[in-house]
């Protein structure tokens, strides 16, 4: 068997065997297969796709290319969630403390921001002193004692994916449903909780804008999880406007804490739907799940457990630092209804303020961002505040047009955004 045989086979739309896919992954990790051959293979997959079986073999081979964590030394039912990435998407800080307060064990390894979408680790580091790098033993001890730990990946998880993802990023081979599904699920299954819920985003601020492609991805990921013997389900949620009213690292943590303190908004709707999925997979009815979630929000136990986690992971204070420009009001220049919010544009704007990385090695400014005050369907009068700006550079004040132009104002009142588009179980 040679890599050339496999490239030819995929080029000719033939199905690869488990052994052939294992050969490919082994060769990528060992360096035996060269980048140009890997790239040719990936492009053949983008063009001719993969069957469900091929995708599963790829997922499994990538999963076992590095360390695999099993949580047998965590007592209780372990739970995890994954979002395909969005703008103002801080559901982790709402859903996971709720589940911990309900007695589940939250053993979550998260990532950093990718492009204009925020990352859980960057948001957590808004708190001075907070350590996201726990050793495996510290991680397990914290989950056993506190019921929740959210940290970066420890060990060498899915090295095959690291190599393939870096190549895909620079060879126009990211947008393949089998490649995305296997990339995400290999990492999720290598750190495998008992129950997993996936938040697959669709729309302007998502990896995939098209709903039918998003559904296909969600179904395939759920199938990969089930084929690996896991309880997994997905919800498809809209990214046609920022999920929370806040975009930016420390602002998003603040937004999540507001929901845990009782605020009722879009972030709560999606975060709750994710928690309901986990509870449903654990055997609870959806109506009971709803009740239980409300209980741990209203008695304060979910917020309490989140604060305990921040302190245990080293946060010196739970105060959020303020930037130089602290809430400059950006006002509408015309009246009408918000027809559309260019979510990606707002995400990129916050990224350009320093809220995300342009290059891998860039530092994050945790204090910058936007508060979004108008959503699709809202009435706007000229002079109303549509967003507030948080920045550390006065130059940002001359760029408010970039924020304003993300809000498309029209005459007709449009439908509100449907937040939960679909479910896959
Ligand atoms: N996130 C991943 O981890 N992998 C992909 O392929 C796309 C998004």
């Amino acid at each position: 068997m040679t890599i050339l045989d496999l490239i030819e086979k995929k080029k000719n739309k033939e199905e690869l065997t488990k052994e052939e896919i294992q050969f490919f992954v082994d060769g990528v990790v060992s360096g035996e297969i060269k980048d140009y051959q890997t790239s040719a293979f990936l492009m053949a997959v983008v063009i001719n796709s993969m069957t469900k079986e091929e995708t599963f073999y790829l997922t499994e081979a990538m999963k076992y290319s590095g360390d695999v964590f099993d949580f047998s030394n965590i007592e209780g039912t372990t739970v995890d969630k994954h979002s395909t990435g969005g703008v103002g998407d801080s559901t982790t800080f709402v859903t996971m403390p709720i589940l911990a307060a309900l007695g589940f064990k939250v053993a979550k390894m998260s990532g950093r921001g990718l492009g204009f979408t925020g990352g859980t680790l960057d948001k957590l580091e808004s708190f001075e002193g907070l350590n996201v790098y726990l050793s495996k033993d510290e991680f397990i001890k914290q989950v056993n004692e506190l019921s929740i730990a959210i940290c970066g990946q420890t060990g060498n998880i899915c090295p095959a994916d690291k190599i393939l993802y870096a190549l895909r990023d620079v060879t126009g081979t990211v947008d393949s449903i089998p490649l995305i599904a296997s990339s995400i699920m290999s990492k999720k299954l290598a750190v495998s909780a008992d129950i997993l819920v996936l938040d697959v985003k669709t729309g302007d601020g998502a990896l995939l804008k098209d709903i039918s492609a998003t559904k296909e991805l969600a179904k395939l990921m759920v199938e990969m999880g089930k084929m690996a013997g896991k309880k997994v389900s997905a919800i498809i949620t809209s990214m046609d406007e920022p999920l929370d009213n806040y975009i930016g690292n420390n602002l998003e943590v603040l937004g999540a804490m507001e929901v845990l303190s009782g605020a009722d908004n879009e972030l709560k709707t999606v975060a709750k739907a994710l928690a309901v999925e986990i509870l449903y997979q654990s055997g609870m009815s959806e109506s009971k799940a709803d009740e239980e979630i409300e209980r741990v929000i209203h008695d304060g136990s979910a917020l309490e457990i989140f604060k305990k986690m921040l302190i245990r992971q080293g946060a010196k204070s739970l105060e959020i630092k303020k930037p130089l420009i602290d809430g400059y009001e950006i006002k509408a220049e015309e009246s009408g209804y918000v027809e559309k919010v260019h979510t990606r544009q707002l995400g990129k704007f916050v990224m350009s303020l320093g809220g995300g990385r342009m290059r891998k090695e860039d530092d994050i400014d945790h204090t910058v961002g936007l508060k979004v005050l108008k959503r699709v369907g809202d009435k706007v009068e000229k002079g109303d505040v549509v967003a507030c700006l948080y920045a550390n550079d006065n130059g940002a004040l001359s760029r408010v047009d970039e924020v304003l132009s993300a809000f498309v104002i029209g005459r007709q009142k449009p439908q509100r955004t449907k937040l939960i588009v679909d479910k896959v179980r």
Side-chain angles (χ1 to χ4, degrees):
M1 192 186 307
T2 70
I3 179 62
L4 196 54
D5 298 333
L6 305 196
I7 296 170
E8 292 283 355
K9 239 181 132 173
K10 213 12 71 201
K11 187 178 78 179
N12 295 327
K13 302 190 177 136
E14 288 172 49
E15 190 168 349
L16 300 172
T17 64
K18 184 176 177 185
E19 291 68 34
E20 286 169 331
I21 290 177
Q22 187 67 54
F23 173 84
F24 169 69
V25 171
D26 289 345
V28 166
V29 176
S30 70
E32 193 75 22
I33 297 176
K34 300 297 165 203
D35 281 358
Y36 49 84
Q37 295 169 313
T38 306
S39 306
F41 178 85
L42 291 170
M43 187 55 86
V45 172
V46 171
I47 293 167
N48 290 330
S49 196
M50 275 184 155
T51 63
K52 192 172 82 183
E53 284 70 26
E54 284 176 299
T55 311
F56 181 63
Y57 300 145
L58 181 60
T59 305
E60 288 284 288
M62 292 208 291
K63 166 181 161 185
Y64 288 111
S65 66
D67 297 341
V68 174
F69 279 64
D70 92 69
F71 291 142
S72 52
N73 40 7
I74 294 179
E75 294 146 29
T77 305
T78 50
V79 295
D80 192 7
K81 78 163 264 282
H82 179 80
S83 159
T84 56
V87 177
D89 175 20
S90 45
T91 54
T92 291
F93 305 131
V94 179
T95 306
M96 300 326 252
I98 286 174
L99 293 167
L102 286 172
F104 290 88
K105 294 293 160 73
V106 175
K108 177 146 179 54
M109 290 192 189
S110 293
R112 297 204 174 268
L114 198 63
F116 63 91
T117 65
T120 298
L121 300 185
D122 296 325
K123 292 174 202 175
L124 278 176
E125 283 175 347
S126 300
F127 296 96
E128 205 192 331
L130 193 135
N131 175 24
V132 293
Y133 290 111
L134 305 180
S135 69
K136 190 177 171 187
D137 288 348
E138 282 168 335
F139 179 70
I140 291 186
K141 190 164 187 280
Q142 185 174 318
V143 177
N144 271 327
E145 289 174 10
L146 200 62
S147 295
I148 184 167
I150 304 176
C151 69
Q153 286 179 354
T154 61
N156 182 26
I157 291 169
C158 293
D161 179 64
K162 287 196 185 98
I163 300 169
L164 291 181
Y165 194 85
L167 267 180
R168 286 168 59 211
D169 211 18
V170 292
T171 56
T173 52
V174 170
D175 56 347
S176 148
I177 289 171
L179 292 181
I180 298 174
S182 54
S183 164
I184 292 175
M185 290 308 287
S186 59
K187 287 173 284 199
K188 284 286 122 183
L189 295 171
V191 185
S192 187
D194 299 318
I195 310 177
L196 168 67
V197 63
L198 303 165
D199 182 2
V200 188
K201 305 285 188 191
T202 189
D204 184 59
L207 180 68
L208 297 175
K209 292 187 181 188
D210 173 64
I211 180 64
S212 64
T214 311
K215 279 187 186 170
E216 210 185 306
L217 175 65
K219 273 194 192 149
L220 190 58
M221 289 200 290
V222 168
E223 264 172 322
M224 294 303 102
K226 287 188 175 162
M227 285 166 90
K230 291 288 159 189
K231 285 186 179 164
V232 50
S233 60
I235 59 173
I236 298 173
T237 63
S238 175
M239 252 306 133
D240 277 329
E241 54 186 342
L243 178 56
D244 192 15
N245 301 332
Y246 296 106
I247 312 171
N249 292 282
N250 65 12
L251 291 170
E252 289 185 39
V253 187
L254 196 72
M257 286 166 101
E258 284 178 5
V259 172
L260 290 176
S261 306
D264 196 358
N265 54 24
E266 289 75 7
L267 173 63
K268 179 176 178 183
T269 303
V270 173
K272 222 175 126 172
L274 290 163
V276 167
E277 272 311 297
I278 297 257
L279 295 172
Y280 177 81
Q281 294 287 340
S282 79
M284 198 183 277
S285 72
E286 289 189 34
S287 59
K288 179 74 182 158
D290 196 274
E291 242 174 66
E292 287 291 283
I293 293 166
E294 289 299 333
R295 180 175 63 76
V296 293
I297 292 177
H298 290 110
D299 70 9
S301 52
L303 179 62
E304 192 56 32
I305 216 161
F306 182 52
K307 287 183 176 169
K308 278 190 182 154
M309 183 197 87
L310 297 173
I311 292 164
R312 168 98 178 219
Q313 285 182 220
K316 291 199 184 119
S317 150
L318 299 186
E319 289 298 308
I320 293 286
K321 267 199 243 148
K322 300 235 181 248
L324 203 65
I325 299 163
D326 184 21
Y328 175 83
E329 294 182 338
I330 302 176
K331 295 182 178 164
E333 289 174 350
E334 55 185 321
S335 302
Y337 290 95
V338 180
E339 263 180 8
K340 201 175 174 31
V341 179
H342 293 299
T343 311
R344 196 171 279 242
Q345 185 175 327
L346 292 179
K348 284 186 177 169
F349 179 81
V350 172
M351 182 180 165
S352 74
L353 295 178
R357 294 179 187 81
M358 299 287 181
R359 292 165 307 171
K360 226 170 56 202
E361 58 278 12
D362 285 349
D363 284 333
I364 292 270
D365 184 342
H366 296 94
T367 63
V368 300
L370 288 170
K371 182 171 184 185
V372 175
L373 296 170
K374 295 288 179 189
R375 307 188 75 90
V376 173
D378 282 350
K379 194 166 188 333
V380 182
E381 297 293 347
K382 186 174 173 185
D384 279 356
V385 180
V386 294
C388 296
L389 172 69
Y390 300 82
N392 277 311
D393 175 2
N394 282 322
L397 293 173
S398 62
R399 295 179 53 205
V400 294
D401 277 357
E402 291 174 42
V403 177
L404 264 187
S405 66
F407 294 83
V408 179
I409 312 285
R411 296 225 166 158
Q412 301 287 329
K413 183 174 168 47
Q415 296 268 320
R416 298 249 176 224
T417 304
K418 190 175 177 210
L419 284 175
I420 316 273
V421 182
D422 211 345
K423 277 185 197 168
V424 181
R425 282 180 176 158

